[in-house]
Amino acid sequence: MSNWLQTMPTAEAYGLNKVLFELHHKADDLTAYRDDPEAYLDRYDLTPRARAAVRGNDVAELYLVGANPYLLRAHCIGMRIPEAESLAALRGAGKKEDHHG
Amino acid sequence: MAEIVAIHATSHTPVMLNFPDAIPAAQRDEIFSSLKDLGAALAAARPEAIVVLSDDHVHNFFLNNLPALCIGAAESYPTPVEHWLKAEKRVLPGDARLGAYLLTSALESGFDPALSMELTLDHGVLTPLELAGVARTTPIVPILINCVQPPLPAMRRCYDFGVWLGQALRAYPDLERVAILATGGISHDLATPRMGMVNEKFDLELLDLLETGSPDEVVAYAKDHVHEAGNGAEEIRMWIAAMGAANGGRFHRRYYRAVSDWYTGIGMGHWDVA
């Protein structure tokens, strides 16, 4: 059992975390993302899996790709993903992984 | 030479401000009342500056440059950095001179903290100061320990840093009265399949050890069991640093309750200062 899915972020997770970080820290990014998510995501070097996870608000996949928990939490709140939905998705992700939780 | 006039520790969570009504009113009032009492005790000690041991929740620092340890040396700190936190925007006064002294002294003593002269502080610092009623009244020096993204600094290193911090503060020539507030923990787990888990057993054993065990036992317990208590429990590094600064002073718990609807084991306590 570990508190962390990745004890060192993968390159894929770095790219994902960069999007989550900038969305919630750069002044105009959240608006730009909401206006045109595809164009916004084109700015980043994301794997197809990471991009699909962000685009689909797929909390389970965001977790499994390696979103930092604080960035993922902020993203769920910032995108107004219902709490029950994100909790259920995380529980589901726990069943998919084999070495955590 | 400065005297350390108070050393307190408390949990923090943004949920305290964002969803205070997620728990029964009586329980919430009990927690807020304990935080007020903590603030009153801190204020009664009349510190001229408060060193706030906390962590940056990936706001000021990102994976492109993530210090294990950072000392703030700014004259003021805007807060909160979270656009989603339900808190009044305010500017906390900083003690830049004390921050610079601590940074310089740390480097001379074999610790290697990062310097920051511009931090927009998050709920980790703001929530306890706000709810304790001491935000804005006393200049602060934030010391941020990475508890949020591995690789993390070792528990033992955080204790050693705390021991050094206590010595450095006591040797500080420019103030007479300083306090320490450690914020974070105890058990909680965010944005993982275990989210919502509060490990009451871990929390109570840790508090018991803080009260009756040796620093070595606390450090060993934290190191060996933190993964049973969730990613948020990594924040006990701040409690461990405060324990080091207390220089053997006895710990007293002020409050504990496992608050699963706030996702957190809420604990508070303080150390005797000689």
Side-chain angles (χ1 to χ4, degrees):
Chain A
M1 183 169 33
S2 169
N3 282 336
W4 307 95
L5 188 59
Q6 298 177 0
T7 50
M8 178 69 205
T10 61
E12 180 182 42
Y14 181 83
L16 169 65
N17 281 310
K18 186 161 178 169
V19 172
L20 299 185
F21 181 80
E22 296 200 343
L23 265 180
H24 298 286
H25 293 91
K26 292 173 83 175
D28 303 321
D29 278 35
L30 202 50
T31 306
Y33 176 63
R34 287 199 172 113
D35 287 351
D36 189 346
E38 297 297 346
Y40 180 84
L41 294 175
D42 281 345
R43 299 180 194 174
Y44 294 91
D45 183 18
L46 286 171
T47 64
R49 185 186 179 193
R51 182 171 175 133
V54 178
R55 186 71 181 88
N57 278 341
D58 188 334
V59 177
E61 275 289 283
L62 290 166
Y63 166 75
L64 290 167
V65 170
N68 171 278
Y70 293 93
L71 292 175
L72 179 50
R73 178 71 180 147
H75 189 63
C76 289
I77 297 173
M79 297 302 292
R80 300 199 176 87
I81 298 171
E83 194 80 338
E85 186 183 318
S86 59
L87 282 173
L90 288 164
R91 303 270 186 266
K95 291 176 188 147
K96 285 187 197 169
E97 53 173 315
D98 50 17
H99 63 285
H100 180 85
Chain B
M1 298 297 159
E3 180 188 349
I4 299 178
V5 293
I7 306 178
H8 291 270
T10 177
S11 305
H12 65 233
T13 161
V15 186
M16 286 174 169
L17 295 177
N18 272 23
F19 306 107
D21 300 332
I23 62 173
Q27 205 176 99
R28 182 195 60 227
D29 293 349
E30 185 182 279
I31 293 166
F32 285 1
S33 162
S34 291
L35 270 164
K36 282 270 189 234
D37 290 347
L38 185 160
L42 196 52
R46 293 179 291 110
E48 296 162 278
I50 302 172
V51 173
V52 184
L53 293 163
S54 191
D55 53 344
D56 176 72
H57 299 78
V58 202
H59 298 294
N60 291 275
F61 311 130
F62 179 62
L63 309 181
N64 60 346
N65 194 353
L66 183 59
L69 186 61
C70 175
I71 298 181
E75 291 180 350
S76 61
Y77 299 96
T79 184
V81 67
E82 301 97 327
H83 67 78
W84 45 264
L85 188 71
K86 290 182 183 166
E88 178 195 343
K89 281 195 185 301
R90 55 172 65 188
V91 177
L92 305 175
D95 188 330
R97 182 193 286 256
L98 177 57
Y101 161 80
L102 289 174
L103 185 79
T104 307
S105 173
L107 290 162
E108 285 169 356
S109 305
F111 293 93
D112 305 291
L115 156 70
S116 181
M117 298 183 69
E118 184 176 359
L119 292 164
T120 304
L121 295 172
D122 68 24
H123 72 272
V125 172
L126 180 63
T127 310
L129 290 175
E130 174 114 358
L131 292 172
V134 293
R136 204 153 29 191
T137 54
T138 309
I140 63 167
V141 174
I143 298 185
L144 304 173
I145 300 173
N146 175 22
C147 303
V148 300
Q149 173 61 60
L152 301 174
M155 297 287 178
R156 164 64 56 184
R157 182 72 170 163
C158 295
Y159 173 72
D160 292 343
F161 176 77
V163 171
W164 165 83
L165 176 65
Q167 291 167 353
L169 287 173
R170 291 183 189 94
Y172 184 53
D174 292 348
L175 291 179
E176 292 181 354
R177 306 175 70 80
V178 296
I180 296 172
L181 175 64
T183 93
I186 308 177
S187 69
H188 58 298
D189 203 56
L190 275 189
T192 81
R194 293 191 297 183
M195 181 162 172
M197 174 215 38
V198 175
N199 187 336
E200 187 171 357
K201 179 171 172 288
F202 171 89
D203 292 346
L204 292 174
E205 285 193 35
L206 183 76
L207 290 168
D208 283 348
L209 279 176
L210 282 165
E211 284 182 329
T212 61
S214 68
D216 282 347
E217 287 173 304
V218 174
V219 168
Y221 185 79
K223 175 174 173 286
D224 293 345
H225 295 279
V226 70
H227 291 284
E228 298 158 25
N231 52 27
E234 304 281 5
E235 294 176 335
I236 55 177
R237 283 171 174 77
M238 276 74 85
W239 292 58
I240 284 173
M243 173 178 72
N247 192 32
R250 198 171 155 207
F251 177 81
H252 308 269
R253 90 184 69 182
R254 173 185 299 282
Y255 185 82
Y256 179 76
R257 189 189 276 273
V259 188
S260 56
D261 286 338
W262 275 2
Y263 306 121
T264 309
I266 302 288
M268 296 170 217
H270 66 278
W271 285 264
D272 286 339
V273 286

